[in-house]
Every structure is written in C-alpha cells, then in structure tokens.
Amino acid sequence: MTEVKPVVFVVDDDPDVLKSLRLLIKSVHLDSVCCGSAEEFWANYIPDRPGCLVLDIRMPSVSGIELQQELIERKIEIPVIFLSGHADVPLAVQAMRDGAFDFLEKPFQGSDLLDRIRNAISTDTQRRKNLASKRFIMERLRDLSPRQRQIMQEVLVGKTSRQIAEDLGISHKTVEVHRTRLMEKLGVKSSVQLTRMLVEAGLQ
Amino acid sequence: MSIMSFRILLVEDDPGHAALVLRSLRRSGQFQVHHVIAIREAYRYLQTNHIDLMISDERLPDGEGQCFLQNNTVPDGFPVIVLIAQDYEEMVPQMIRTGAMDCVLKTKECLLTMGDIAERAIRHWSDLVLKERAQQALRDSEWRFRTLAEFTSDWIYWEDMDGKIVYVSPSCKEITGYSPKKFQANPNLLSEMIFPEDRITWQEHRHQTSHCDVGERLSFRICTKDGRICWIEHACRPITGQEGEFLGYRVCNRDITARMEAEKKLRAEHDFNTAILDTLKSIVIVLDDQGRFVQCNKYCEIISGYTAQELNGKSLLDLMIPLEERGFVEKRFQTLIEGYQEVDGENQWISKMGKRRLIYWSNSVLRRPDGTVEYIIGTGMDITEIRLSEELQQQIFRYAPDIMAIVNFDGSVRYVNPAVTSILGWPPEEFFNKQWVEYVHPEDRQRSLSIVNSLRSRQSSIKFEHRFRHQDGNYRWMSWTLIPIASNPKVFIAIGFDITNQLLSEEQQRRHEQEIMHASRLSQIGEMASSIAHELSQPLSAISATITAALEMVRASKNAIDPDMIEALHEANGQAIRAGDVIRRVRNFVRSWTLKSSTVNMNELIQESIAFIRKDLEIHTIRLEFQEQPEIPMVFVDPIQIQQVILNLIRNAMDAIEEENSTKREIRIGLLHENHQVIVSVSDTGTGIRPGLEEKIFDSFYTTKRKGLGLGLSLSRRIIENHGGKLRIQPNPESGVIFFFNLPVERREK
C-alpha cells in the first residue's frame, strides 16, 4: 500500500494569518489547503488524504464551531485543531466536548502548532491504517467457514485444541486441521498473532 | 206698667182719725185699706191676709200698737207706721228703734198726707227686703264659697253691688303681696296695681260687666307689692239671688305667670318641635293601635315617597313592609302593644317607587289611662347607607393590610385592627391601655411624639416614618399617616404599613444598580483589553508562524547558514512569545470574571432593564414597548451580563433614534420561545444601517457614533455567544434595525 501524502486544511478569515500558516506548513514539507471561509473549505476538501484541519473558531457567517458540527453530521472524522480567539474558552471547551482534536489560543507559537499538526496527522494516519486493516481482516474473516469461526472464538478465549475438541464433541485431530486452515486464511502463525491482529483492528 | 195695688191694714179705734187717714189713702187710689179697731181684730185679719203696710195707733183698747213691731222683721214681716198722739212726740225715736217704718203725729195735716207717707214706707220696705234677701243669699253662698276659697291658691274676692269688697281669699297675699285687709280697706287697690299698658283693657272690662251681666275672662299684668310683674287671669261672674236679683261680683284672680311662661315656652317648643320633626333626617310616624298611619313627618314622606295624606289611615304593614318581613314586624307590634316595653328593631321598607330601604326603628306606645294603646310612635332612621358603610368600614378595618388605629392624644390606643398582628406580631389587645411610644425605637421616640403633638393643631394629615418594635423584638420601619378627627379632638387615626422590606429592596436595588454599573465598566475595560489582545494576537500568531517556518526552512536547508541569522530568528520568535504572554495575562485577567449563572425569567430581566433606563427614555421622549410573555421558559444565564446586553441594545436603539431625530420614536422589545430557544429582539425606528456593514458593526473598535469606543456590540455578541446563543441584526421593515439574540432554554437535567 503506497503512502498517501497527508494534507493540512487551514480555515481562517484573517488573510495574514492564513498566509503565515501556509508558509509554516510548507516549511515542514506538508501540503496545505488554505481557505478564508467554511464555504471555501467545502469546495476544496479532499476526503481520501490523511491530514487535519486547523480551524479558526470565530469567523463571520459560518463559525468554526458550525463547521465542526457539519463535519460531525457528514461523519467526516478529520482531526480538528481549533484556533481560538480572545477568551473564547467556553466555545473551545464546547468544541473539545464535540470531539475536536485540540485547540490553541491565539497568539500561538508556530512550533506549538506544528507539534499539534504532526500529532493530528499521525493520529489520522493511524486511524486510516486501522480502518484499512480492519477492512482487510473483516474480508478474511468472511472467508472462514462457520466451524472455523467457531473454533477461532474458542482459541481467542485461550482454550487448547484438546479442550475445544472435548467441548465440541469432535476429535482432537479435526480441531487441529480447522485451526491450521483458519490461521492460514488469516495470515497469522500463532494464536498470539491472531489475538494481536484482531485487537489492532479494533475487533477485540 | 200696671197700677200696683197695695193692701193696707189700718188699726185705729178713734173714728175721727181713722176717717182722716182713710180719706187721705183713698185719694191716691192705689191702696186697698182694711180698717180694724183692736189688736185682736188685726191679728185675726193677718192670719188669713197678706198686707203691704200696717198703720196702727199707738194706744188701742186691747193694748199698745207697738206690739206689732215685735217679731216683725225684714223680709218676712211688713212695714208698720205708728200713729202717735200729740204730746207723746218723745216716743218717736223709741218707735223707730224698735222697728217702725215711720211715726206720724195725729194732727189733721199729718193724717191728711198719709197717702204719701204710706207710699214711701212701702217702697222703703221693699228696698230693705231686697237688700236683706241679697245679703242672705250672699251669706249663704259666701259660706260655701269661703270654704272653697280658703283652700285654693286662687285669689278670690267678692265685690258687692256697691263695689265694696266683701271677701278676699288669703291667697291674695301670696300673689300680690297685699293682705286681704288691704283690699277690703281699698276697693281700688286692684285697679291701681294693674300694669299701665293693661289698664285700658281692664277699664273696658269693668265698664262692660257693670252693664251686662255676663261674666268674662281676661288676663292682665299686675305689679305686685315687691315689684314683680305677675300675669293674672281674671274671671268674674255676677252673683244673683234666688229671685235673680244682682248681688255683686264674684271674682277669681289666678296667677298665671307660670302658665304664661310655660305657654310661651310651649308655643316656642311646639314650633320648635314641628320644625325639628320636619327637618329631622329621621322618620317619625304615629300609628294607631291597628298599625294605621295617623301622622308622619316630612322625612317620612321623602323616604316613603308617599304624602302624609296618602299614608293617612293606611296600614304600615300592608303598604310598605316586604312580605318576607311582615311576620316579625307584626310580632314586634304585638310585643310593643302587649309588652309595656319599648321595642327597637330594623326592617326593610318598600317605598312608593319600589325602592328598598333599611330602617332602624325606636318605638314606643302612648296609652290611654285604662292601659289600652292609643298610638304607636315610631322613630326610624334610614340606615341603608349607614349599614352599607358600616359593613364596608368593618370589612375595611378587618381586612385592611395596613394597620388602622384610633389613638388617643394621651398616648393610649383606643382601637387597632387585626393587621397589627400580621405586621408587628402583637395581638390588638396588646396596645389597649398602653402607651404606643413605649414600642417605638428609643432614637425615634422624641421625634414621633412631637409629630403626634403637632397634629393637634392641624386639620390635615401628617406622614412620617419610624421604627416600631415587632413582637419578635426586632424593630420594623413603619410608615404612618396620622389623620386628625375634627369631631373629636381627643383622638386621631393612624394608618401604618411596614416599609422595612421596601427600604431593604431599595437598598438592594441600589446595590444591584451599582453592580451592573460596575460590571458594565469592568466588562468595557475587559472588552477593550481583550479586543486589543485579539487584534494583536492575530499578527503575533502570524509572526510566530512565519519565524517558525523560517527556522524550519533553515534547518532543512542544505546550504550552510550563518548561525547569527538563526539566532536572530530565535530572538524574534522569543519577542513574539513575550508579546503573546503579555496578551495572555491580560486575557486571563479578563477571563477571571466567570459567568455567575442562575435560573432567570427573561420577562423580569427585561422589566428590570427597562426600569433601569426609564428615566433616559423619558428625557428623550422615546416610547418603549414591551409585552410580558408569561409562557416563556426559564433560562440559565448570568443575569448581569444578559442585562448588560439588553441595556446595550436599548441604548444603541436610543442613540439611533436620536441621530435620526425621527418623529416615530419607538423602541419595541419582543420576547418569544422557539425551538428550545428564548429569543429577545430589540427594534428601533432609528437610522438603520448601511448594507454591508451588518457584520462590521460587531467588530471591536468599529463605531458609527461620534462618541463611543465601538465595544458595545462586540461585547454583547461575546456575552451572548458565551451563553450559547447568537446576536444578530436585521433591518426593520418599517425603519431602523432589529437586533435579536437567542438563549438556550434551561435544561432541567443539568
């Protein structure tokens, strides 16, 4: 799977701030999409690239908060870093409560923002990766026969093949065959690997 | 007049003399003469005959002529003329004394004039008889009269036909001061005593009564011995004897001074009573024992609508008493008639016009000597209004929320209503026979007393305030109105209510105003500071971002970079950070005024805000309209901050109206509830706003006013947003603009 280059979306109505942020993001070799308003953001949003959104909390017409609400409604899980203006803490708190990634009070330091942007991107990348592996695992799991899925459940709770055979009333050898088959299908070599894979995919 | 014939008996033994006498008597022609010659013969004759005169010789064969004089008295006997021989003249006086009417000497000349002598004797005798009879009658009646007269207080006297005072009763002394003897001594005494003005009347009376024999009464004044003026009622009656002969006057004088006075008084009283009865604002009726009208006064006519004539003879019960009350009114009549007691009571009256009046009656009965009822007298007061006002008064006193008291000027309390318990905790009885001043705060006592004292000389009421002790021991601030009572200078009325809470709330109000002013000032400063911070934070953010970008570029650069340049960039970043810290400190300072939220009714908050600015509105003659919306749910906000927003918007509206100087000077505040939001709108009829500036006006330091920082709207917007709402502007379709903001309805679960 080729790595998709992350992108940082910036929405701020102050053009000077916007310009400096573009420069800052460029300096660390990240792509940026800078917008002066929420409407502009929607026009330029690219859903399939990992990244984050740096969003000014206070803007005319559609505010940062309102944009966030729309993102939630559209089930777009892009991490949002709010830039809050003066004493907008109550708004920022609300934003955090609604799932914002972080917020920075203006005036902020460039380095602080960069740190947060990097965190956000890695989080988003991880999220996307998890989503992908989850999808992959789900596909493999679909290939398992019902008997294999049954035996996998027993394995995951830590039972030995002998115990499984006893419980299900089948031969030890049959259990072993099923077990080997399902491990092959899922591409894991041990029950430990199986457990880890499922946990990482958020299925366990 | 027919010729009278007088019968004469002549007793004479000498025929010569007898012949002469007979000749003389026959000559006059009015005498019938019977002649005898002896005493024995004369007596025989007298036994069967009545004579008018006897002429008798002194010397007779069977005795002396004077024997006829014995037992011969007026009026039962007859007159006797004695004939006396010459030379016996000395016997004459003896004869007269014995009772002879006359004595005639036996001479030729004398005997021949016997006719005249006889006539005179007969006449004289007749007079004597009359007189004697009168005196006899007088004596008889005098005796009866005297016994009566002695016992009466009337001054009675008897005047005989000659004007002599025969008898005066002793009461004359009491009335006139003069004794009976004085009156008898001076028959004119009475005339002399009469009051000069009344003398003519008196004399006319005297004149009249002496001519005709009719008794008459008259009254006149006399001047008594001691100078008093005394009214006398004089009644005189002629007295006649058995034969109808005049015997004089019997007079009864009665002292009527007291009566005259009484009459005068009575007359005055009667007039007075009639006047009273007619001017009386009470009904006075007189009914007979059957309850029928006999009499009534004017007021009765007014109230009943019937005239006295219409009422006369009608039954009160049938005419005026409503059916439902007839039973007990009739019973009252019965009690009155049977019970020998006065019965008071009230009942309704239906007037001629059908109006009902409530009358309070005081009744009494007049009885005949045998005890039966003659009249029922009723005095009635129309108490319809009185009862109403009494009830009203009672209810007012009982239910008045204020203390109402009747207080004596001596400091004691005569009456106080129950409100005293609810206001001051004390039962009303607490104050009876106590001095009210004892309950007054010591510092207020002197002032209170002097105010009450000043009321004595006033006609109008006084208001004052002082502290009065509550039953719980605390003092309450009381506001009193003292009202003097013109009809009773000993007491006054005091009306009081507790103003402690009012004073407290005034204090609270003042504090609240101060708080708002303070908050307003603080948030203006805060707004200014944070606005500056915001304005600076943008470029500072940009600076920091740019420097960071530069440093990143330098780090990634493959070319060698002058370390000084890197240091310079770091230095610049450091200064930007420092500036940011300053801003952050300011912001933290402002942020320390956190929201003090509570559950708020927006109706009240808006009313409070309006009250706050009412004076300004009046000065600028701007009408503010706000209709309370009782259904509006509560919001959970910081009331001071929201009030600040409302005040801000109202002030902006006022400024806009002032600027436009528009004719329609009106601010309207709207309040409504929609989608879990309470929406407040403030619309004005002012200048309005140029298109395109709708957002700009919310920026800090942006203002269209000559005076003003341009912070009001940005502050207001921030406050509303901090409360989870939005502040927006819209053009007013009429003129001016509408600002409106929404606040989320308080969520119960929170």
Side-chain angles (χ1 to χ4, degrees):
Chain A
M1 212 192 249
T2 51
E3 280 278 307
V4 182
K5 204 179 177 201
V7 61
V8 179
F9 296 96
V10 181
V11 183
D12 196 321
D13 63 315
D14 189 324
D16 295 331
V17 173
L18 207 58
K19 213 160 107 190
S20 69
L21 289 181
R22 184 185 289 129
L23 213 57
L24 178 67
I25 293 162
K26 195 186 167 194
S27 72
V28 290
H29 307 290
L30 282 171
D31 286 347
S32 72
V33 174
C34 291
C35 314
S37 69
E39 291 82 356
E40 218 182 312
F41 167 75
W42 287 117
N44 294 289
Y45 176 59
I46 313 148
D48 51 2
R49 286 176 72 177
C52 68
L53 168 61
V54 176
L55 180 57
D56 190 1
I57 211 164
R58 175 180 302 278
M59 283 182 302
S61 70
V62 184
S63 74
I65 295 285
E66 283 166 327
L67 179 53
Q68 183 194 21
Q69 293 304 316
E70 205 170 342
L71 286 169
I72 292 167
E73 267 168 42
R74 294 195 193 184
K75 296 194 162 62
I76 295 169
E77 292 185 54
I78 186 167
V80 181
I81 299 162
F82 273 108
L83 297 180
S84 73
H86 59 131
D88 286 329
V89 176
L91 287 177
V93 168
Q94 193 202 321
M96 291 299 285
R97 207 179 287 138
D98 288 342
F101 181 77
D102 210 338
F103 83 94
L104 265 181
E105 228 179 305
K106 286 179 184 173
F108 54 85
Q109 287 184 49
S111 51
D112 286 348
L113 180 60
L114 280 183
D115 289 345
R116 288 195 176 48
I117 287 172
R118 284 188 190 111
N119 282 346
I121 288 172
S122 72
T123 303
D124 192 44
T125 308
Q126 188 59 48
R127 181 184 65 86
R128 282 169 187 269
K129 212 183 270 172
N130 285 352
L131 203 63
S133 62
K134 189 171 158 188
R135 262 193 219 119
F136 172 76
I137 291 161
M138 290 297 276
E139 274 164 30
R140 297 284 173 84
L141 286 178
R142 215 172 286 132
D143 289 345
L144 300 181
S145 68
R147 190 50 121 188
Q148 286 168 349
R149 220 170 285 158
Q150 193 180 22
I151 287 165
M152 185 186 76
Q153 294 295 334
E154 301 295 319
V155 172
L156 281 174
V157 295
K159 288 186 181 170
T160 61
S161 299
R162 203 173 296 277
Q163 277 171 326
I164 296 167
E166 250 168 54
D167 286 353
L168 297 178
I170 50 174
S171 69
H172 176 246
K173 195 164 184 182
T174 315
V175 173
E176 280 294 319
V177 171
H178 279 305
R179 191 175 167 158
T180 315
R181 277 279 165 75
L182 83 93
M183 293 258 202
E184 271 170 16
K185 273 187 180 170
L186 293 175
V188 289
K189 290 189 173 107
S190 65
S191 58
V192 176
Q193 267 185 3
L194 173 67
T195 308
R196 186 181 293 145
M197 186 191 83
L198 288 172
V199 167
E200 276 173 6
L203 293 170
Q204 194 67 49
Chain B
M1 191 169 166
S2 62
I3 292 161
M4 293 275 288
S5 181
F6 294 105
R7 285 157 299 184
I8 297 171
L9 179 60
L10 173 65
V11 187
E12 177 60 73
D13 57 339
D14 185 359
H17 289 148
L20 282 175
V21 171
L22 285 169
R23 207 167 74 193
S24 169
L25 292 174
R26 276 172 192 148
R27 216 176 1 193
S28 86
Q30 50 177 332
F31 303 112
Q32 287 172 23
V33 185
H34 183 74
H35 179 226
V36 292
I37 54 167
I39 294 170
R40 214 172 40 240
E41 270 181 14
Y43 276 121
R44 205 180 296 136
Y45 180 79
L46 286 173
Q47 275 172 359
T48 51
N49 294 283
H50 173 77
I51 57 167
D52 296 301
L53 177 71
M54 176 184 271
I55 302 168
S56 173
D57 191 3
E58 188 1 50
R59 288 195 192 268
L60 287 167
D62 53 351
E64 293 174 358
Q66 62 178 304
C67 73
F68 293 111
L69 296 176
Q70 284 167 9
N71 299 319
N72 181 17
T73 54
V74 180
D76 302 322
F78 44 84
V80 177
I81 297 169
V82 181
L83 302 173
I84 293 167
Q86 276 180 315
D87 307 318
Y88 287 94
E89 285 161 341
E90 74 282 358
M91 285 175 74
V92 171
Q94 162 70 33
M95 286 302 145
I96 296 294
R97 217 177 293 130
T98 315
M101 270 323 269
D102 212 339
C103 286
V104 178
L105 284 177
K106 285 188 184 179
T107 64
K108 198 183 169 185
E109 297 80 12
C110 286
L111 291 175
L112 280 175
T113 58
M114 190 51 86
D116 297 331
I117 293 166
E119 205 183 329
R120 195 168 67 229
I122 288 170
R123 199 169 59 238
H124 190 58
W125 178 261
S126 167
D127 282 353
L128 282 177
V129 166
L130 275 180
K131 192 167 174 181
E132 179 55 30
R133 283 213 179 121
Q135 273 166 357
Q136 185 76 44
L138 197 63
R139 270 193 300 276
D140 288 349
S141 60
E142 189 188 339
W143 182 82
R144 284 200 307 272
F145 166 74
R146 188 184 287 263
T147 45
L148 264 174
E150 302 286 315
F151 289 100
T152 72
S153 58
D154 290 350
W155 159 30
I156 292 166
Y157 69 88
W158 196 313
E159 185 182 321
D160 72 6
M161 51 278 209
D162 299 328
K164 244 173 69 189
I165 305 289
V166 177
Y167 169 77
V168 183
S169 73
S171 337
C172 67
K173 171 97 181 184
E174 278 167 44
I175 296 173
T176 65
Y178 296 104
S179 67
K181 273 184 189 161
K182 283 264 162 61
F183 280 98
Q184 278 166 324
N186 178 9
N188 283 323
L189 184 56
L190 177 57
S191 302
E192 286 163 15
M193 280 181 353
I194 288 171
F195 203 65
E197 286 172 28
D198 295 345
R199 267 181 202 159
I200 294 167
T201 329
W202 172 248
Q203 274 154 15
E204 272 173 10
H205 168 74
R206 291 289 287 188
H207 189 66
Q208 235 170 16
T209 41
S210 58
H211 280 278
C212 60
D213 294 2
V214 182
E216 202 194 328
R217 273 164 193 265
L218 85 158
S219 2
F220 50 81
R221 286 161 287 180
I222 57 163
C223 210
T224 63
K225 194 181 178 187
D226 54 12
R228 274 185 305 116
I229 287 173
C230 186
W231 272 98
I232 298 292
E233 185 184 68
H234 171 91
C236 58
R237 166 179 295 190
I239 311 292
T240 51
Q242 278 169 344
E243 310 285 321
E245 65 272 30
F246 177 68
L247 294 176
Y249 296 100
R250 191 171 59 187
V251 178
C252 177
N253 284 335
R254 183 170 288 173
D255 180 357
I256 54 160
T257 315
R259 202 183 76 200
M260 288 299 271
E261 297 277 306
E263 265 178 17
K264 213 162 111 190
K265 246 185 180 164
L266 210 62
R267 202 169 302 118
E269 224 163 76
H270 180 260
D271 292 348
F272 183 62
N273 286 345
T274 320
I276 285 183
L277 281 181
D278 281 347
T279 54
L280 214 56
K281 294 288 181 235
S282 291
I283 299 162
V284 179
I285 57 172
V286 180
L287 305 176
D288 64 13
D289 57 346
Q290 300 299 307
R292 289 178 300 231
F293 277 95
V294 176
Q295 227 183 317
C296 74
N297 70 339
K298 271 224 177 74
Y299 196 64
C300 173
E301 293 181 330
I302 294 169
I303 293 296
S304 68
Y306 295 101
T307 64
Q309 275 174 325
E310 284 176 310
L311 291 175
N312 203 7
K314 301 265 171 56
S315 158
L316 167 69
L317 213 61
D318 297 342
L319 192 61
M320 293 185 185
I321 308 299
L323 274 174
E324 69 274 16
E325 292 195 350
R326 278 189 195 165
F328 76 78
V329 173
E330 199 165 6
K331 202 174 261 175
R332 196 187 300 151
F333 268 142
Q334 286 309 314
T335 319
L336 201 62
I337 288 169
E338 291 160 13
Y340 288 88
Q341 57 185 0
E342 298 194 345
V343 182
D344 292 355
E346 51 187 66
N347 59 268
Q348 299 273 352
W349 238 28
I350 300 175
S351 75
K352 195 177 180 183
M353 289 74 81
K355 253 175 142 183
R356 268 175 188 247
R357 312 295 301 178
L358 185 63
I359 314 283
Y360 180 84
W361 292 103
S362 294
N363 300 312
S364 60
V365 290
L366 274 185
R367 288 175 194 278
R368 297 191 189 90
D370 64 358
T372 56
V373 171
E374 189 162 20
Y375 296 121
I376 299 165
I377 298 171
T379 314
M381 278 201 307
D382 181 359
I383 55 168
T384 317
E385 265 84 43
I386 297 175
R387 173 56 49 82
L388 202 69
S389 70
E390 266 177 6
E391 262 173 39
L392 204 68
Q393 201 178 318
Q394 266 182 12
Q395 300 302 327
I396 288 172
F397 265 86
R398 185 181 303 160
Y399 294 110
D402 295 347
I403 295 176
M404 294 176 146
I406 300 170
V407 185
N408 295 318
F409 270 109
D410 67 15
S412 58
V413 178
R414 192 180 281 192
Y415 171 82
V416 64
N417 69 340
V420 76
T421 313
S422 54
I423 293 177
L424 290 167
W426 303 103
E429 308 85 70
E430 169 74 19
F431 297 97
F432 301 151
N433 307 317
K434 287 252 180 74
Q435 295 283 314
W436 56 266
V437 78
E438 290 169 25
Y439 298 85
V440 175
H441 193 283
E443 288 171 20
D444 297 345
R445 276 184 197 166
Q446 204 49 50
R447 183 172 57 90
S448 305
L449 281 174
S450 63
I451 286 168
V452 168
N453 256 325
S454 71
L455 191 68
R456 283 176 193 266
S457 53
R458 283 173 65 114
Q459 266 112 47
S460 53
S461 60
I462 304 181
K463 278 183 194 214
F464 80 106
E465 291 163 7
H466 71 189
R467 283 163 287 180
F468 203 95
R469 198 168 76 241
H470 192 278
Q471 202 206 359
D472 64 15
N474 293 319
Y475 283 94
R476 309 287 296 171
W477 273 100
M478 296 292 297
S479 169
W480 292 100
T481 304
L482 308 181
I483 306 155
I485 302 174
S487 61
N488 190 346
K490 284 185 185 161
V491 300
F492 62 89
I493 293 174
I495 296 170
F497 53 92
D498 185 353
I499 52 163
T500 316
N501 289 335
Q502 191 189 322
L503 290 179
L504 270 178
S505 72
E506 272 170 21
E507 178 61 29
Q508 273 171 352
Q509 179 73 20
R510 227 179 352 261
R511 229 178 278 160
H512 182 65
E513 281 174 22
Q514 277 174 354
E515 228 170 276
I516 287 192
M517 298 288 279
H518 181 67
S520 167
R521 231 175 292 127
L522 265 188
S523 40
Q524 290 268 345
I525 294 167
E527 181 64 16
M528 191 157 88
S530 55
S531 294
I532 293 168
H534 173 71
E535 292 302 316
L536 290 177
S537 70
Q538 297 286 91
L540 277 172
S541 300
I543 290 169
S544 183
T546 313
I547 293 170
T548 308
L551 281 168
E552 286 298 331
M553 287 177 215
V554 164
R555 200 171 46 200
S557 172
K558 283 152 192 156
N559 306 329
I561 299 291
D562 186 351
D564 283 350
M565 188 181 158
I566 295 170
E567 204 191 325
L569 283 172
H570 276 295
E571 183 56 29
N573 199 30
Q575 290 307 314
I577 290 167
R578 193 177 149 206
D581 283 344
V582 172
I583 284 165
R584 207 163 280 120
R585 271 206 299 279
V586 170
R587 190 177 294 161
N588 285 339
F589 171 66
V590 174
R591 201 179 285 163
S592 65
W593 312 319
T594 49
L595 291 181
K596 288 175 193 154
S597 294
S598 57
T599 303
V600 172
N601 180 338
M602 281 307 286
N603 282 307
E604 289 171 14
L605 200 69
I606 292 171
Q607 290 290 21
E608 250 179 63
S609 313
I610 294 170
F612 203 76
I613 205 162
R614 193 177 298 281
K615 266 197 194 116
D616 282 358
L617 289 165
E618 281 167 13
I619 289 168
H620 293 100
T621 62
I622 292 169
R623 222 169 67 80
L624 191 145
E625 202 185 287
F626 168 60
Q627 200 84 45
E628 277 198 30
Q629 305 296 325
E631 300 303 318
I632 289 292
M634 305 290 259
V635 289
F636 189 73
V637 297
D638 182 332
I640 288 178
Q641 289 201 357
I642 297 300
Q643 201 161 34
Q644 230 177 296
V645 173
I646 296 167
L647 283 173
N648 219 330
L649 295 179
I650 297 175
R651 284 224 171 81
N652 277 348
M654 281 172 67
D655 290 345
I657 290 171
E658 275 304 294
E659 212 154 297
E660 176 73 8
N661 213 2
S662 57
T663 44
K664 199 179 172 201
R665 306 165 74 82
E666 197 178 275
I667 297 174
R668 198 173 299 157
I669 298 182
L671 181 59
L672 63 98
H673 173 218
E674 209 178 79
N675 295 333
H676 305 292
Q677 303 286 318
V678 171
I679 299 165
V680 180
S681 63
V682 178
S683 53
D684 65 64
T685 56
T687 40
I689 194 153
R690 263 188 293 134
L693 285 178
E694 287 93 344
E695 281 304 318
K696 198 93 173 102
I697 55 166
F698 290 106
D699 287 355
S700 298
F701 305 114
Y702 178 83
T703 182
T704 57
K705 298 176 197 167
R706 255 162 271 138
K707 289 182 227 168
L709 274 172
L711 289 173
L713 281 177
S714 68
L715 174 65
S716 297
R717 172 171 269 194
R718 195 160 56 74
I719 289 173
I720 295 303
E721 281 173 0
N722 284 351
H723 282 86
K726 273 213 141 191
L727 174 62
R728 290 174 223 255
I729 184 172
Q730 234 178 37
N732 191 345
E734 297 166 57
S735 68
V737 293
I738 308 173
F739 280 97
F740 53 96
F741 64 83
N742 60 298
L743 293 167
V745 170
E746 181 188 16
R747 291 201 188 93
R748 289 277 162 218
E749 64 270 17
K750 270 192 182 172

